[in-house]
Amino acid sequence: MKKVLKALQIKNINNGVSTGVDSWAGSGKVLSSYSPVDGELIGKVRQATKDDYEKVITKAEEAYKIWREVPAPKRGEIVRQMGEALRANKDNLGRLVSYEMGKSLQEGWGEVQEMIDICDFAVGLSRQLYGLSMHSERLQHRMYEQWHPLGIVGIISAFNFPVAVWSWNAMLAWVCGDVCVWKPSEKTPLSAIACQHIIQAVLRNNNVPEGISGLIVGDREVGEWLSNDTRVPLVSATGSTRMGKAVGQAVAGRLGRSLLELGGNNAIIVTENADLQIVIPAVVFGAVGTAGQRCTTTRRLILHENIYEDVKNRLVKIYSQLRIGDPLDTNNHVGPLIDTDAVNNYQTAIEKVKAEGGNILFGNEVLSGEAYQSGCYVKPTIVEVTTQTPMVCHETFAPILYLIKYSTLDEAIALQNGVPQGLSSAIFTLNMREAEQFLSANGSDCGIANVNIGTSGAEIGGAFGGEKETGGGRESGSDSWKNYMRRQTNTINYSTQLPLAQGIKFDI
């Protein structure tokens, strides 16, 4: 890991304080990053003070005045170079993400690939920031709309995707002409620092202001500064529903914009017409990938009564064969939870659902021994429930899968929708009518609804986000770029008269 850190220009590891680049180095309390893989200290960084925050915002304001004037395709060219720089650093950055966050190495590399993909998407987008042309009701008038950048975009990201979700926002914001100030999770600061080194090198090579990309390491107080700052017109926040409600209220209180990507309590419906050969791997990956720490993790499995016992038995057998251990070892399927607090939440959730009548089919164990010395490794758990109790309706960021039996598709969809969250959902069926019902207005109420693929693993080409307590935000593909710009309607009168709309007469 020392070679990886050196390659990513993160210095003074385990011996002093890594302060990164001068443009954002904090002067506050020291924050230590420990790996959930082995419990070892990876490095330290100084957090930002309010004075440090003000310096970053001031630099961002100055950079925005220059960046907004750069033609969008030229902004896209710089983002293209960022994608190339990420390609060159994919192996090392993926390893750091895996080690600092605890996800499998394949997922760490996949996260960096997601960053590369969004760069490619943003490059094309830089030539497609289209506005509409509309016919005016008035003679010799032309009416159209255009899109302008907003200014500073504040980005608050979570530990489970320590770099990818930031890139979803930043790359689109940059081609739209905005500048970004990033507050990464305090649980994964070094992955963010590595990204900042990569991006700043590209900015320097293109002789554009470093304030285009700001980074502020700190705790929730930094998020509160961003949320309450009128100089930051948009705050994009990814995390828990509790956090999102606080951000949303603060930003709304100053009539700013917020883009919220919050909790998920995602379900897969499996009908009696499903192909179980693809159901099982989809469910297992969705439930145990990233040790259940994805917002799109499969947490509920709603099974038709005719196939319930078959699927249940298959899952228990496969869960018993899962390899749990060091995520940098590609032979392992499941890595650790992020920290011991997450382990406590896992244990508490299982005890509560047992008290509510849940039957533990597999798991419910914190692993110990030399291979699990960090204390963050748990067995993925399967719980059989007869109804959606309060604990089933609650999102627990851990690998706990609830099995629920149903009789009719209407009943299954009602169960699917019967939780406060509305992010991702899926149905497995070879019956066209069942699939179409699930996708209809009377079907899934989630922002993502899939047929014959699982809840986890969204592509960057589609808008990502959900409804209800998931926050209603949309990031990444489709027309999500409009979140980062302001719409302006323009009417041009090229006649010699001044006709008023709606035929109004005003003679003077």
Side-chain angles (χ1 to χ4, degrees):
M1 187 51 59
K2 288 184 177 180
K3 290 182 179 179
V4 168
L5 294 167
K6 183 178 180 181
L8 295 171
Q9 301 181 49
I10 301 177
K11 303 174 183 177
N12 301 322
I13 300 305
N14 294 333
N15 182 21
V17 177
S18 170
T19 54
V21 293
D22 292 337
S23 63
W24 61 267
S27 56
K29 296 181 295 184
V30 172
L31 175 67
S32 298
S33 178
Y34 293 90
S35 172
V37 175
D38 52 18
E40 293 296 318
L41 174 67
I42 313 172
K44 303 176 182 179
V45 59
R46 284 199 179 276
Q47 300 181 72
T49 64
K50 190 60 184 296
D51 285 343
D52 298 325
Y53 173 84
E54 289 297 329
K55 291 176 183 177
V56 172
I57 294 295
T58 298
K59 281 184 176 290
E61 287 183 308
E62 294 169 352
Y64 173 60
K65 295 175 184 177
I66 297 171
W67 188 241
R68 67 186 177 187
E69 293 293 327
V70 176
K74 292 188 177 181
R75 297 193 295 254
E77 164 57 20
I78 293 174
V79 169
R80 185 195 66 79
Q81 294 175 35
M82 293 175 181
E84 291 302 308
L86 289 168
R87 282 182 172 89
N89 288 278
K90 178 179 176 178
D91 181 65
N92 286 321
L93 184 56
R95 289 180 183 277
L96 176 58
V97 166
S98 177
Y99 187 61
E100 188 173 34
M101 184 269 151
K103 62 176 57 178
S104 74
L105 183 54
Q106 291 291 343
E107 291 182 82
W109 285 330
E111 183 164 349
V112 182
Q113 184 61 49
E114 203 164 337
M115 301 172 75
I116 295 166
D117 292 343
I118 199 66
C119 286
D120 290 347
F121 181 90
V123 173
L125 179 65
S126 69
R127 294 181 180 270
Q128 300 180 74
L129 302 173
Y130 300 138
L132 296 175
S133 177
M134 295 153 283
H135 289 282
S136 173
E137 67 186 49
R138 289 172 281 187
L139 182 66
Q140 295 183 330
H141 281 59
R142 183 166 69 89
M143 186 163 59
Y144 69 98
E145 68 180 21
Q146 60 180 334
W147 295 83
H148 293 303
L150 282 174
I152 300 174
V153 174
I155 303 170
I156 301 171
S157 63
F159 74 85
N160 58 328
F161 281 85
V163 294
V165 173
W166 160 74
S167 72
W168 288 3
N169 288 272
M171 301 308 168
L172 297 195
W174 283 331
V175 297
C176 289
D178 300 315
V179 298
C180 298
V181 174
W182 180 18
K183 183 245 179 266
S185 169
E186 56 267 41
K187 296 181 180 182
T188 51
L190 298 180
S191 295
I193 291 170
C195 288
Q196 182 75 343
H197 281 296
I198 293 168
I199 298 305
Q200 288 288 348
V202 174
L203 297 179
R204 285 194 300 271
N205 290 340
N206 286 274
N207 196 30
V208 292
E210 63 182 14
I212 290 168
S213 178
L215 177 65
I216 307 176
V217 175
D219 55 21
R220 62 179 295 175
E221 192 173 35
V222 174
E224 292 170 353
W225 295 338
L226 282 170
S227 300
N228 289 287
D229 195 335
T230 57
R231 297 167 295 181
V232 183
L234 171 65
V235 176
S236 176
T238 302
S240 68
T241 297
R242 176 191 57 77
M243 179 276 292
K245 286 181 177 179
V247 171
Q249 290 172 7
V251 176
R254 58 178 175 85
L255 297 182
R257 297 191 198 179
S258 59
L259 196 169
L260 303 176
E261 296 290 355
L262 311 176
N265 192 346
N266 316 293
I268 293 177
I269 297 172
V270 184
T271 81
E272 59 183 333
N273 299 304
D275 178 355
L276 297 187
Q277 292 301 113
I278 63 172
V279 167
I280 301 302
V283 170
V284 175
F285 175 73
V288 309
T290 324
Q293 297 172 116
R294 290 179 176 227
C295 52
T296 55
T297 290
T298 304
R299 307 201 183 280
R300 296 174 295 139
L301 186 60
I302 303 170
L303 298 167
H304 191 273
E305 57 190 5
N306 290 346
I307 58 169
Y308 183 87
E309 291 298 326
D310 185 12
V311 174
K312 179 177 76 173
N313 293 335
R314 292 192 196 200
L315 286 174
V316 170
K317 181 179 180 180
I318 289 179
Y319 267 54
S320 69
Q321 298 169 355
L322 291 173
R323 294 184 294 273
I324 305 168
D326 183 348
L328 277 79
D329 181 347
T330 55
N331 290 313
N332 290 326
H333 298 111
V334 185
L337 294 175
I338 185 65
D339 53 28
T340 54
D341 286 341
V343 173
N344 292 335
N345 291 336
Y346 161 88
Q347 293 177 299
T348 299
I350 293 173
E351 289 306 309
K352 286 184 177 179
V353 81
K354 283 170 60 179
E356 294 170 349
N359 176 36
I360 308 299
L361 299 175
F362 185 86
N364 189 21
E365 182 181 347
V366 179
L367 300 176
S368 59
E370 186 176 351
Y372 310 114
Q373 58 186 338
S374 68
C376 297
Y377 292 86
V378 302
K379 275 192 175 182
T381 299
I382 303 173
V383 185
E384 190 174 39
V385 296
T386 57
T387 186
Q388 292 194 146
T389 63
M391 203 62 221
V392 176
C393 294
H394 173 78
E395 180 193 35
T396 301
F397 234 48
I400 303 172
L401 179 65
Y402 301 112
L403 305 191
I404 311 168
K405 186 186 299 183
Y406 80 91
S407 299
T408 69
L409 186 55
D410 285 341
E411 177 190 354
I413 291 173
L415 287 167
Q416 143 68 40
N417 295 341
V419 295
Q421 309 84 0
L423 179 53
S424 187
S425 60
I427 188 170
F428 279 80
T429 180
L430 300 180
N431 183 298
M432 184 182 72
R433 289 179 175 174
E434 291 178 332
E436 291 295 337
Q437 181 179 345
F438 179 74
L439 299 176
S440 73
N442 295 322
S444 170
D445 64 0
C446 294
I448 299 169
N450 297 328
V451 176
N452 293 329
I453 61 170
T455 62
S456 190
E459 297 183 35
I460 60 95
F464 180 89
E467 302 300 325
K468 301 189 295 189
E469 287 194 357
T470 301
R474 293 297 185 275
E475 295 171 327
S476 191
S478 186
D479 64 349
S480 298
W481 61 271
K482 293 179 179 179
N483 288 308
Y484 307 93
M485 304 195 83
R486 59 182 177 88
R487 185 196 309 253
Q488 184 180 80
T489 301
N490 307 115
T491 305
I492 300 171
N493 176 8
Y494 59 94
S495 75
T496 59
Q497 306 297 316
L498 186 66
L500 300 178
Q502 294 87 45
I504 294 174
K505 301 296 183 183
F506 184 71
D507 296 324
I508 54 174

